[in-house]
Amino acid sequence: MSKLAIQGGAPAKTKAFPAWPQHDELERRALLEVLESGNWWRSEGDKTAAFERAFADYHQANHGIAVTNGTHAIEVALAALDIRPGDEVIVPNATFVATASAALFAGALPRLVDVRADNFCIDPELAEAAINERSKAIIAVHLGGCPADIDALKSIANKHGIALLEDAAHAHGSEWRGRKVGALGRGGTFSFQASKTMTAGEGGIILSDDDGFERMARSVHDCGRLPGEWFYSHYHYGSNYRLSEWQGAVLLAQLTRLDEQTARRNTNGRLLDHLLSQIAGIKPQRLDSRATRNGHYAYIFHFEPRHFADITRPQFEAALQAEGIPTQPPYPPLHQLDLFQSGAYKHRLSGAQAAEDHAFLRAPFPNSVREFEETIWITQRALLGDEQDMREVAAALQKISENAAELT
Ligand SMILES: *Cc1c(COP(=O)(O)O)cnc(C)c1O
């Protein structure tokens, strides 16, 4: 094996990885049951409520509120914290735009901070340094499923009297010191969009152990209603973020596979850590020893370009895909997005805050930039394969390492 597949050689990968999404008779029966029951709306059916309960139980959380998607989950969580114009929310710069845009939807400024060089999750020291009198919350993102340093973030949030939220859209089933992530701060949010490790096409949920937060989030997600009160009484600001029974039914079925699939991805991820560490210039995303399980929305590693003939990340990805390994692009650093560069984000801010110069947007954010330019994300379905599949991933990378000069 020497000639790269992208140059016409034989791909390193011979058998196909498992497909995604997965379903079987469980989803089929669940959907038919909803269809024939005539209860297609959560307020009439029992599927979405049962799913909330089951997902919260699995994640060792007291409460779960199912919502339309993972973006809305963050919006509802911020509304439940009463975050408003004039406030600031501390957000890592390497994440999907939703983590920051949800703050903008509340009229608050997302204060972007850089991530750590080793795991590309929010840097707790930089998060603390970004706190000022307007700060109301820190959002930790468990990037790729790898838990952020919850202990450090929680103690910072407590010390300054602000909330810690987890954007756990990548981290279904991930664990920190044996506890599932998602309700380790005031609240946590998940996505069930098609690429995520459980899916109904779209969907989301908010978890929390905090009764007051749960009550507000539930009210916000249902037009400001309160459970048990008359249908046309509305107590709080709210909107309609309710999940349908179709999605609740599919997610109940998906949840039955989550634990086994998470365990498999975690085991394969640790095998890849071992295999890839032996390739010069590759460094797997660092999993803290307190992170007892990684749900692996993706398998992320950093590559040192000089060990790969200075090829770019898109060149690296294209070569890996040609070898038969599915990848997905990393997130561009938020501060580089047009949304922030053009000033369009200010349309959501109130007068005084919109008029300010947000100098932090001109900071270099070196680790978020490395996340974008020098990390490779192997798609989660590849981690559902077997040990042989992982050895073939490593072989593909070894081949690229040996032949990278051909790509320049
Ligand atoms: C997918 C995702 C979201 C948003 O979820 P949607 O269901 O797509 O709205 C939020 N944050 C992160 C980190 C995500 O990956």
Side-chain angles (χ1 to χ4, degrees):
M1 259 200 330
S2 64
K3 200 164 180 211
L4 294 172
I6 201 164
Q7 310 267 18
K13 193 81 193 70
T14 49
K15 81 175 165 56
F17 284 110
W20 190 263
Q22 300 188 354
H23 76 275
D24 62 19
E25 272 310 303
L26 269 184
E27 278 84 354
R28 191 185 307 274
R29 261 191 277 127
L31 282 168
L32 279 174
E33 207 181 302
V34 173
L35 180 74
E36 283 157 9
S37 73
N39 299 326
W40 298 356
W41 184 42
R42 78 157 291 163
S43 308
E44 289 166 343
D46 55 11
K47 300 286 191 236
T48 297
F51 169 66
E52 287 176 340
R53 189 67 266 140
F55 191 86
D57 285 347
Y58 179 71
H59 287 82
Q60 301 152 315
N62 288 341
H63 306 289
I65 303 136
V67 294
T68 33
N69 58 59
T71 305
H72 286 167
I74 308 171
E75 290 178 19
V76 171
L78 293 175
L81 291 173
D82 200 23
I83 284 171
R84 322 173 178 188
D87 293 341
E88 294 190 7
V89 179
I90 295 166
V91 170
N93 196 36
T95 180
F96 181 57
V97 67
T99 321
S101 66
L104 290 170
F105 261 70
L109 176 68
R111 185 164 284 269
L112 308 176
V113 303
D114 206 6
V115 293
R116 291 174 53 122
D118 57 359
N119 67 3
F120 305 103
C121 293
I122 192 166
D123 184 326
E125 283 177 26
L126 297 179
E128 181 162 32
I131 295 175
N132 60 42
E133 63 287 347
R134 294 170 175 174
S135 310
K136 291 289 153 55
I138 300 173
I139 307 183
V141 178
H142 305 305
L143 202 74
C146 171
D149 186 342
I150 288 293
D151 292 353
L153 293 164
K154 206 166 171 172
S155 79
I156 291 163
N158 289 343
K159 178 172 147 199
H160 295 273
I162 66 177
L164 174 64
L165 291 178
E166 297 170 81
D167 177 348
H170 295 180
H172 314 64
S174 284
E175 288 177 9
W176 180 257
R177 290 199 281 109
R179 293 261 323 191
K180 297 280 190 304
V181 304
L184 301 179
R186 188 78 61 81
T189 62
F190 293 79
S191 164
F192 305 118
Q193 175 268 339
S195 71
K196 304 293 158 71
T197 57
M198 278 180 55
T199 183
E202 301 279 7
I205 197 167
I206 303 155
L207 299 184
S208 183
D209 280 344
D210 182 312
D211 295 345
F213 174 87
E214 187 267 345
R215 182 179 157 88
M216 276 306 291
R218 194 170 294 286
S219 179
V220 169
H221 113 291
D222 188 20
C223 313
R225 295 187 174 101
L226 284 172
E229 301 293 340
W230 185 51
F231 190 67
Y232 289 131
S233 49
H234 304 272
Y235 299 87
H236 302 113
Y237 154 82
S239 187
N240 176 1
Y241 294 100
R242 294 184 306 264
L243 191 74
S244 78
E245 283 292 278
W246 309 105
Q247 290 156 297
V250 168
L251 290 168
L252 262 177
Q254 295 268 306
L255 183 60
T256 63
R257 299 185 200 97
L258 180 67
D259 192 61
E260 190 272 330
Q261 290 179 338
T262 305
R264 178 181 290 261
R265 281 191 301 264
N266 184 61
T267 301
N268 281 331
R270 303 299 64 76
L271 175 59
L272 282 179
D273 286 350
H274 170 71
L275 296 172
L276 271 48
S277 298
Q278 295 163 26
I279 302 174
I282 289 188
K283 210 184 262 168
Q285 180 185 33
R286 181 171 172 275
L287 194 62
D288 193 289
S289 58
R290 292 164 294 177
T292 41
R293 202 190 231 192
N294 184 342
H296 276 300
Y297 167 63
Y299 182 87
I300 301 174
F301 66 84
H302 176 264
F303 71 97
E304 199 60 62
R306 68 189 166 85
H307 284 276
F308 291 85
D310 282 317
I311 57 171
T312 64
R313 189 265 305 159
Q315 285 175 312
F316 196 131
E317 255 193 278
L320 196 53
Q321 284 177 7
E323 299 297 337
I325 315 299
T327 68
Q328 61 200 78
Y331 295 117
L334 296 181
H335 78 289
Q336 289 182 1
L337 300 180
D338 283 346
L339 168 67
F340 290 104
Q341 289 291 314
S342 70
Y345 74 99
K346 290 193 165 181
H347 300 181
R348 300 295 303 183
L349 302 178
S350 64
Q353 210 170 19
E356 287 167 359
D357 176 39
H358 298 130
F360 70 87
L361 290 173
R362 295 189 296 275
F365 297 104
N367 295 332
S368 318
V369 171
R370 288 170 72 240
E371 180 271 337
F372 183 51
E373 295 181 354
E374 300 173 3
T375 69
I376 299 289
W377 293 41
I378 297 175
T379 306
Q380 55 109 347
R381 71 183 176 86
L383 272 78
L384 292 174
D386 57 23
E387 185 181 328
Q388 186 54 37
D389 289 317
M390 299 310 111
R391 295 192 182 278
E392 289 182 1
V393 170
L397 288 164
Q398 181 65 39
K399 200 171 145 188
I400 292 171
S401 148
E402 288 165 11
N403 299 282
E406 288 177 26
L407 297 169
T408 59

